[in-house]
Amino acid sequence: AQSVTQPDIHITVSEGASLELRCNYSYGATPYLFWYVQSPGQGLQLLLKYFSGDTLVQGIKGFEAEFKRSQSSFNLRKPSVHWSDAAEYFCAVGRMNSGYSTLTFGKGTMLLVSP
Amino acid sequence: GAVVSQHPSRVICKSGTSVKIECRSLDFQATTMFWYRQFPKKSLMLMATSNEGSKATYEQGVEKDKFLINHASLTLSTLTVTSAHPEDSSFYICSASSGRPGPGNTIYFGEGSWLTVV
């Protein structure tokens, strides 16, 4: 069965510092990987996705993620964090469920940005 | 880009009553929509897959008679929580995908709906 692990429940980063959020997946086939961001009380916004090809994926808001098959990882990075990046981040793997595409989510990592 | 909208964003209802949440795809046709439930500080739990013109497919452990899903058109799916109880209070999020079904489809999410049952 597919699963997604985000080992860090909370991360605190100083504004302007770099960020890396970890994501590990377990999936029997070629993974389709996503990162979503959720601000408090809001829905989810897609940051970036990986299907195939270049393992370094660029997303919106200055985020990028690198797919490493050997490590079963898809970590999210940003070189300089802004206070507005404080939110919850979810890693997800796309899968087929009864003929329909759907997502399996990790438990999320809450990013706190300190001044 | 594709937009998915939910209404209402917040609703309070009395225990024992029913409440309906709408999910609309605003600029694309979604043959499939998904309903998730999110508990505080928890991840999203898929409740059901909503198929236009046919019965919804529910995940194991989700009561289909309690959470009624209707996907009447290619742009609208509704979730009705029947005989609501305080334990049904949660954040409900819908999502929809455009294009042919496939694990790599981009799935767009609505803004979510807060349900509080008092």
Side-chain angles (χ1 to χ4, degrees), chain A residues 32 36 38 43 49 51 97 101 106, chain B residues 34 38 43 102 104 106-107 111:
Chain A
Y32 296 83
Y36 285 86
Q38 184 182 33
K49 58 188 178 184
F51 294 166
N97 179 22
S101 54
Chain B
F34 307 90
Q38 186 178 29
S43 187
T106 297
I107 299 177
E111 311 95 328

Side-chain angles (χ1 to χ4, degrees), chain B residues 18-48:
Chain B
S18 296
V19 61
K20 181 185 290 186
I21 301 170
E22 293 185 346
C23 178
R24 294 181 184 273
S25 58
L26 297 183
D27 57 1
F28 67 99
Q29 291 184 333
T31 54
T32 308
M33 290 185 175
F34 307 90
W35 287 96
Y36 291 83
R37 181 174 180 176
Q38 186 178 29
F39 294 96
K41 299 184 179 181
K42 297 288 186 182
S43 187
L44 285 79
M45 180 191 76
L46 179 65
M47 298 174 64

Side-chain angles (χ1 to χ4, degrees), chain A residues 95-115:
Chain A
R95 64 185 176 95
M96 295 301 290
N97 179 22
S98 301
Y100 299 94
S101 54
T102 186
L103 297 173
T104 298
F105 286 89
K107 292 188 176 181
T109 298
M110 176 63 74
L111 172 64
L112 305 173
V113 180
S114 61

Side-chain angles (χ1 to χ4, degrees), chain B residues 44-57:
Chain B
L44 285 79
M45 180 191 76
L46 179 65
M47 298 174 64
T49 302
S50 170
N51 311 303
E52 190 268 336
S54 64
K55 292 182 179 180
T57 304

Side-chain angles (χ1 to χ4, degrees), chain B residues 47-82:
Chain B
M47 298 174 64
T49 302
S50 170
N51 311 303
E52 190 268 336
S54 64
K55 292 182 179 180
T57 304
Y58 290 82
E59 294 297 299
Q60 192 173 12
V62 178
E63 299 176 61
K64 59 183 66 177
D65 293 331
K66 181 167 189 59
F67 298 100
L68 300 179
I69 292 173
N70 182 29
H71 194 156
S73 75
L74 287 172
T75 59
L76 174 64
S77 175
T78 60
L79 167 68
T80 302
V81 182
T82 64

